[in-house]
Amino acid sequence: MKAKLFTLAAVIATTSFISAPVAADDQLAMSICSYVAADNKNNLRKALSDNRLRLRNVYDGIVCDGLPLVRHAIKHNAADAAGFIISQLPGSQVAASGDIEWANSNGFASSPIINTIKERSAS
């Protein structure tokens, strides 16, 4: 499993530098990003489950349109997907992410996801 996680992180990190056919792990990352953008929590959960991945283990390696998953969800007003993502991460990671400050400085201060982040940060 560690090898799979490392491979996923490596593929995601290098995809912005090379233009090659889409690898299986790259396809998974793209699917995760599209499920978040579409606010499809069930498909997001299924993709992670089918690939035997824990979100907390791959969260740092997945970047969607240059943004971490939670910020990508905020940008797309994907409250259900964001709630799932936030619930899968340690509270300390959520608190230290800077997502609230990012949202406030980028015009998303009224997003309902901010309250979810605050609640998780407090626990």
Side-chain angles (χ1 to χ4, degrees), residues 26-100:
D26 192 28
Q27 183 64 42
L28 176 61
M30 289 173 42
S31 294
I32 289 171
C33 291
S34 67
Y35 295 147
V36 170
D39 200 16
N40 194 331
K41 176 178 73 172
N42 292 332
N43 281 350
L44 174 60
R45 181 181 290 151
K46 184 172 178 2
L48 293 167
S49 176
D50 288 351
N51 289 281
R52 297 181 178 168
L53 296 172
R54 296 186 75 194
L55 190 56
R56 69 177 54 209
N57 295 337
V58 296
Y59 179 81
D60 291 331
I62 300 175
V63 178
C64 306
D65 296 332
L67 299 171
L69 284 175
V70 172
R71 293 180 188 185
H72 186 64
I74 292 170
K75 180 180 173 186
H76 291 281
N77 197 28
D80 289 339
F84 172 72
I85 293 166
I86 292 165
S87 73
Q88 298 300 305
L89 299 175
S92 59
Q93 183 177 0
V94 174
S97 68
D99 292 332
I100 294 173

Side-chain angles (χ1 to χ4, degrees), residues 2-19:
K2 287 184 181 181
K4 188 173 188 175
L5 294 175
F6 179 74
T7 302
L8 176 62
V11 169
I12 292 169
T14 60
T15 56
S16 61
F17 301 112
I18 57 174
S19 177

